[in-house]
Short mmCIF file of all heavy atoms in Angstrom, two decimals:
data_model
loop_
_atom_site.label_atom_id
_atom_site.label_comp_id
_atom_site.label_asym_id
_atom_site.label_seq_id
_atom_site.Cartn_x
_atom_site.Cartn_y
_atom_site.Cartn_z
N ASN A 1 -20.99 15.73 -6.58
CA ASN A 1 -21.19 14.37 -6.28
C ASN A 1 -20.36 13.40 -7.19
O ASN A 1 -19.76 12.49 -6.57
CB ASN A 1 -22.67 14.00 -6.30
CG ASN A 1 -23.44 14.56 -5.25
OD1 ASN A 1 -23.02 14.87 -4.23
ND2 ASN A 1 -24.82 14.69 -5.50
N VAL A 2 -20.26 13.72 -8.39
CA VAL A 2 -19.41 12.94 -9.27
C VAL A 2 -17.92 13.15 -8.89
O VAL A 2 -17.19 12.09 -8.82
CB VAL A 2 -19.55 13.46 -10.75
CG1 VAL A 2 -18.45 12.78 -11.63
CG2 VAL A 2 -20.96 13.07 -11.23
N PHE A 3 -17.53 14.27 -8.50
CA PHE A 3 -16.15 14.46 -8.04
C PHE A 3 -15.92 13.59 -6.80
O PHE A 3 -14.89 12.97 -6.62
CB PHE A 3 -15.89 15.91 -7.80
CG PHE A 3 -14.58 16.10 -7.02
CD1 PHE A 3 -13.36 16.04 -7.72
CD2 PHE A 3 -14.51 16.34 -5.69
CE1 PHE A 3 -12.06 16.20 -7.07
CE2 PHE A 3 -13.36 16.43 -4.98
CZ PHE A 3 -12.09 16.42 -5.73
N PHE A 4 -16.87 13.71 -5.75
CA PHE A 4 -16.60 12.89 -4.56
C PHE A 4 -16.52 11.47 -4.82
O PHE A 4 -15.68 10.70 -4.26
CB PHE A 4 -17.80 13.14 -3.54
CG PHE A 4 -17.72 14.54 -2.95
CD1 PHE A 4 -18.84 15.35 -2.89
CD2 PHE A 4 -16.54 14.93 -2.24
CE1 PHE A 4 -18.73 16.47 -2.21
CE2 PHE A 4 -16.42 16.08 -1.65
CZ PHE A 4 -17.60 16.86 -1.56
N ASN A 5 -17.28 10.90 -5.79
CA ASN A 5 -17.12 9.46 -6.10
C ASN A 5 -15.79 9.13 -6.75
O ASN A 5 -15.17 8.18 -6.48
CB ASN A 5 -18.30 9.06 -7.21
CG ASN A 5 -19.61 8.76 -6.43
OD1 ASN A 5 -19.61 8.59 -5.32
ND2 ASN A 5 -20.65 8.77 -7.27
N TRP A 6 -15.32 10.07 -7.70
CA TRP A 6 -14.04 9.84 -8.22
C TRP A 6 -12.94 10.08 -7.24
O TRP A 6 -11.88 9.46 -7.26
CB TRP A 6 -13.74 10.72 -9.48
CG TRP A 6 -14.33 10.26 -10.65
CD1 TRP A 6 -15.46 10.76 -11.26
CD2 TRP A 6 -13.90 9.18 -11.43
NE1 TRP A 6 -15.70 9.91 -12.42
CE2 TRP A 6 -14.75 9.00 -12.56
CE3 TRP A 6 -12.81 8.40 -11.33
CZ2 TRP A 6 -14.50 8.04 -13.50
CZ3 TRP A 6 -12.54 7.38 -12.24
CH2 TRP A 6 -13.38 7.25 -13.33
N PHE A 7 -13.14 11.01 -6.21
CA PHE A 7 -12.20 11.24 -5.16
C PHE A 7 -11.97 9.91 -4.40
O PHE A 7 -10.80 9.50 -4.14
CB PHE A 7 -12.62 12.29 -4.30
CG PHE A 7 -11.80 12.52 -3.02
CD1 PHE A 7 -10.61 13.19 -3.04
CD2 PHE A 7 -12.20 11.91 -1.84
CE1 PHE A 7 -9.83 13.27 -1.80
CE2 PHE A 7 -11.47 12.06 -0.68
CZ PHE A 7 -10.24 12.74 -0.67
N PHE A 8 -13.06 9.23 -3.91
CA PHE A 8 -13.02 8.01 -3.20
C PHE A 8 -12.55 6.95 -4.05
O PHE A 8 -11.75 5.95 -3.55
CB PHE A 8 -14.33 7.71 -2.55
CG PHE A 8 -14.59 8.45 -1.32
CD1 PHE A 8 -15.30 9.62 -1.30
CD2 PHE A 8 -13.95 7.87 -0.08
CE1 PHE A 8 -15.47 10.20 0.03
CE2 PHE A 8 -14.20 8.58 1.09
CZ PHE A 8 -14.97 9.72 1.16
N PHE A 9 -12.84 6.96 -5.34
CA PHE A 9 -12.30 5.86 -6.34
C PHE A 9 -10.81 5.88 -6.33
O PHE A 9 -10.10 4.86 -6.15
CB PHE A 9 -12.89 5.98 -7.66
CG PHE A 9 -12.37 5.06 -8.65
CD1 PHE A 9 -12.93 3.81 -8.86
CD2 PHE A 9 -11.28 5.34 -9.47
CE1 PHE A 9 -12.30 2.99 -9.78
CE2 PHE A 9 -10.70 4.49 -10.35
CZ PHE A 9 -11.28 3.30 -10.56
N THR A 10 -10.30 7.15 -6.49
CA THR A 10 -8.76 7.39 -6.51
C THR A 10 -8.15 6.97 -5.26
O THR A 10 -7.11 6.32 -5.18
CB THR A 10 -8.43 8.78 -6.93
OG1 THR A 10 -9.07 9.05 -8.05
CG2 THR A 10 -6.95 8.95 -7.08
N LEU A 11 -8.86 7.45 -4.08
CA LEU A 11 -8.36 7.11 -2.80
C LEU A 11 -8.16 5.61 -2.60
O LEU A 11 -7.05 5.11 -2.08
CB LEU A 11 -9.32 7.64 -1.72
CG LEU A 11 -8.72 7.84 -0.29
CD1 LEU A 11 -7.79 9.04 -0.23
CD2 LEU A 11 -9.90 8.28 0.64
N TYR A 12 -9.12 4.82 -2.96
CA TYR A 12 -9.08 3.39 -2.71
C TYR A 12 -8.26 2.68 -3.58
O TYR A 12 -7.53 1.66 -3.39
CB TYR A 12 -10.61 2.80 -2.67
CG TYR A 12 -11.21 2.97 -1.33
CD1 TYR A 12 -12.03 4.12 -1.07
CD2 TYR A 12 -11.14 2.09 -0.28
CE1 TYR A 12 -12.65 4.38 0.11
CE2 TYR A 12 -11.72 2.41 0.85
CZ TYR A 12 -12.46 3.39 1.11
OH TYR A 12 -13.09 3.70 2.27
N ALA A 13 -8.20 3.22 -4.84
CA ALA A 13 -7.27 2.58 -5.82
C ALA A 13 -5.88 2.80 -5.40
O ALA A 13 -4.97 1.76 -5.64
CB ALA A 13 -7.55 3.25 -7.28
N ALA A 14 -5.47 3.96 -4.86
CA ALA A 14 -4.20 4.13 -4.33
C ALA A 14 -3.81 3.35 -3.11
O ALA A 14 -2.77 2.79 -2.90
CB ALA A 14 -3.96 5.63 -3.99
N PHE A 15 -4.90 3.11 -2.28
CA PHE A 15 -4.84 2.22 -1.14
C PHE A 15 -4.59 0.75 -1.65
O PHE A 15 -3.58 0.07 -1.05
CB PHE A 15 -6.00 2.12 -0.36
CG PHE A 15 -6.27 3.38 0.56
CD1 PHE A 15 -7.67 3.61 1.05
CD2 PHE A 15 -5.26 4.23 0.87
CE1 PHE A 15 -7.84 4.66 1.85
CE2 PHE A 15 -5.47 5.27 1.66
CZ PHE A 15 -6.78 5.57 2.23
N PHE A 16 -5.23 0.40 -2.64
CA PHE A 16 -5.05 -0.92 -3.19
C PHE A 16 -3.50 -1.09 -3.82
O PHE A 16 -2.97 -2.16 -3.44
CB PHE A 16 -5.91 -1.15 -4.46
CG PHE A 16 -5.59 -2.35 -5.36
CD1 PHE A 16 -5.78 -3.63 -4.86
CD2 PHE A 16 -5.03 -2.16 -6.62
CE1 PHE A 16 -5.37 -4.69 -5.82
CE2 PHE A 16 -4.63 -3.14 -7.43
CZ PHE A 16 -4.83 -4.42 -6.92
N THR A 17 -2.98 -0.11 -4.39
CA THR A 17 -1.65 -0.22 -4.95
C THR A 17 -0.63 -0.28 -3.75
O THR A 17 0.29 -1.11 -3.83
CB THR A 17 -1.37 0.99 -5.81
OG1 THR A 17 -2.36 1.05 -6.89
CG2 THR A 17 0.00 0.90 -6.52
N SER A 18 -0.84 0.60 -2.87
CA SER A 18 0.07 0.58 -1.73
C SER A 18 0.10 -0.73 -0.80
O SER A 18 1.19 -1.18 -0.39
CB SER A 18 -0.16 1.80 -0.71
OG SER A 18 -1.45 1.83 -0.21
N THR A 19 -1.10 -1.34 -0.71
CA THR A 19 -1.24 -2.52 0.16
C THR A 19 -0.89 -3.83 -0.59
O THR A 19 -0.89 -4.86 -0.01
CB THR A 19 -2.74 -2.67 0.79
OG1 THR A 19 -3.64 -2.61 -0.23
CG2 THR A 19 -2.84 -1.60 1.88
N THR A 20 -0.63 -3.69 -1.86
CA THR A 20 -0.21 -4.83 -2.62
C THR A 20 1.20 -4.63 -3.13
O THR A 20 2.15 -5.21 -2.62
CB THR A 20 -1.11 -5.00 -3.94
OG1 THR A 20 -1.16 -3.84 -4.63
CG2 THR A 20 -2.50 -5.46 -3.53
N ALA A 21 1.51 -3.68 -4.01
CA ALA A 21 2.88 -3.55 -4.64
C ALA A 21 3.86 -3.12 -3.61
O ALA A 21 4.85 -3.68 -3.39
CB ALA A 21 2.79 -2.58 -5.78
N LEU A 22 3.43 -2.05 -2.81
CA LEU A 22 4.49 -1.50 -1.85
C LEU A 22 4.61 -2.49 -0.63
O LEU A 22 5.91 -2.69 -0.20
CB LEU A 22 3.98 -0.20 -1.39
CG LEU A 22 4.13 0.97 -2.42
CD1 LEU A 22 3.85 2.28 -1.73
CD2 LEU A 22 5.54 0.98 -3.03
N VAL A 23 3.54 -3.08 -0.25
CA VAL A 23 3.79 -4.06 0.91
C VAL A 23 4.56 -5.28 0.51
O VAL A 23 5.35 -5.81 1.23
CB VAL A 23 2.32 -4.48 1.50
CG1 VAL A 23 2.49 -5.62 2.29
CG2 VAL A 23 1.70 -3.28 2.16
N TYR A 24 4.38 -5.65 -0.75
CA TYR A 24 5.15 -6.74 -1.35
C TYR A 24 6.67 -6.44 -1.47
O TYR A 24 7.51 -7.21 -1.07
CB TYR A 24 4.61 -7.17 -2.73
CG TYR A 24 5.34 -8.42 -3.30
CD1 TYR A 24 4.98 -9.58 -3.02
CD2 TYR A 24 6.48 -8.10 -4.27
CE1 TYR A 24 5.73 -10.75 -3.51
CE2 TYR A 24 7.11 -9.23 -4.75
CZ TYR A 24 6.83 -10.49 -4.41
OH TYR A 24 7.55 -11.57 -4.88
N VAL A 25 6.88 -5.20 -1.84
CA VAL A 25 8.31 -4.81 -1.85
C VAL A 25 8.91 -4.74 -0.58
O VAL A 25 10.04 -5.13 -0.24
CB VAL A 25 8.44 -3.31 -2.58
CG1 VAL A 25 9.79 -2.83 -2.39
CG2 VAL A 25 8.06 -3.55 -4.06
N GLU A 26 8.15 -4.25 0.48
CA GLU A 26 8.65 -4.21 1.78
C GLU A 26 8.97 -5.51 2.42
O GLU A 26 9.97 -5.76 3.14
CB GLU A 26 7.76 -3.29 2.72
CG GLU A 26 7.72 -1.89 2.35
CD GLU A 26 6.49 -1.16 2.82
OE1 GLU A 26 5.59 -1.79 3.50
OE2 GLU A 26 6.35 0.10 2.63
N ASP A 27 8.03 -6.54 2.06
CA ASP A 27 8.14 -7.76 2.67
C ASP A 27 9.25 -8.70 2.00
O ASP A 27 9.84 -9.60 2.55
CB ASP A 27 6.82 -8.56 2.65
CG ASP A 27 5.89 -8.01 3.69
OD1 ASP A 27 6.31 -7.21 4.48
OD2 ASP A 27 4.77 -8.56 3.80
N ASN A 28 9.39 -8.48 0.61
CA ASN A 28 10.24 -9.40 -0.20
C ASN A 28 11.50 -8.80 -0.76
O ASN A 28 12.38 -9.50 -1.09
CB ASN A 28 9.32 -9.97 -1.37
CG ASN A 28 8.17 -10.84 -0.82
OD1 ASN A 28 8.28 -11.94 -0.51
ND2 ASN A 28 7.01 -10.22 -0.68
N VAL A 29 11.59 -7.44 -0.75
CA VAL A 29 12.76 -6.82 -1.20
C VAL A 29 13.52 -6.19 -0.17
O VAL A 29 14.45 -6.65 0.31
CB VAL A 29 12.41 -5.80 -2.39
CG1 VAL A 29 13.76 -5.08 -2.88
CG2 VAL A 29 11.72 -6.45 -3.51
N SER A 30 12.89 -4.98 0.31
CA SER A 30 13.48 -4.46 1.50
C SER A 30 12.59 -3.26 2.00
O SER A 30 11.89 -2.70 1.19
CB SER A 30 14.88 -3.78 1.25
OG SER A 30 14.83 -2.63 0.50
N TRP A 31 12.58 -3.01 3.22
CA TRP A 31 11.83 -1.87 3.84
C TRP A 31 12.33 -0.54 3.19
O TRP A 31 11.55 0.36 3.03
CB TRP A 31 11.88 -1.86 5.26
CG TRP A 31 11.22 -2.88 5.95
CD1 TRP A 31 11.65 -4.15 6.51
CD2 TRP A 31 9.73 -2.95 6.26
NE1 TRP A 31 10.66 -4.83 6.99
CE2 TRP A 31 9.40 -4.17 6.79
CE3 TRP A 31 8.71 -2.11 6.06
CZ2 TRP A 31 8.23 -4.61 7.23
CZ3 TRP A 31 7.38 -2.47 6.43
CH2 TRP A 31 7.22 -3.69 7.04
N GLY A 32 13.61 -0.41 2.97
CA GLY A 32 14.17 0.77 2.39
C GLY A 32 13.57 1.19 1.02
O GLY A 32 13.27 2.33 0.74
N TRP A 33 13.54 0.10 0.18
CA TRP A 33 12.96 0.32 -1.14
C TRP A 33 11.48 0.70 -1.08
O TRP A 33 10.91 1.55 -1.74
CB TRP A 33 13.14 -0.96 -1.99
CG TRP A 33 14.41 -0.94 -2.75
CD1 TRP A 33 15.57 -1.69 -2.43
CD2 TRP A 33 14.71 -0.11 -3.84
NE1 TRP A 33 16.51 -1.41 -3.36
CE2 TRP A 33 16.03 -0.51 -4.32
CE3 TRP A 33 14.07 0.73 -4.67
CZ2 TRP A 33 16.75 0.06 -5.26
CZ3 TRP A 33 14.67 1.32 -5.78
CH2 TRP A 33 15.99 0.95 -6.16
N GLY A 34 10.69 0.00 -0.11
CA GLY A 34 9.32 0.33 -0.04
C GLY A 34 9.05 1.75 0.39
O GLY A 34 8.19 2.44 -0.15
N PHE A 35 9.77 2.17 1.42
CA PHE A 35 9.61 3.61 1.94
C PHE A 35 10.27 4.63 0.88
O PHE A 35 9.64 5.64 0.84
CB PHE A 35 10.34 3.75 3.29
CG PHE A 35 9.69 3.01 4.41
CD1 PHE A 35 10.36 2.77 5.62
CD2 PHE A 35 8.29 2.61 4.31
CE1 PHE A 35 9.81 2.16 6.64
CE2 PHE A 35 7.71 2.02 5.43
CZ PHE A 35 8.45 1.77 6.57
N GLY A 36 11.13 4.16 0.20
CA GLY A 36 11.74 5.09 -0.92
C GLY A 36 10.74 5.34 -1.97
O GLY A 36 10.59 6.45 -2.51
#
């Protein structure tokens, strides 16, 4: 159960990073850099 909690914590933390940092790069720098 502890592992499952950490699994979802990591999953959503990575979602957070991708929907902020990577989306910002794709919108304001270039799509190529974001996908890269």
Side-chain angles (χ1 to χ4, degrees):
N1 287 336
V2 171
F3 170 79
F4 283 132
N5 276 346
W6 277 105
F7 172 82
F8 276 96
F9 175 87
T10 305
L11 198 71
Y12 280 92
F15 285 161
F16 164 74
T17 304
S18 59
T19 50
T20 52
L22 289 188
V23 168
Y24 180 84
V25 169
E26 289 162 359
D27 283 1
N28 296 278
V29 181
S30 74
W31 289 98
W33 272 103
F35 290 162

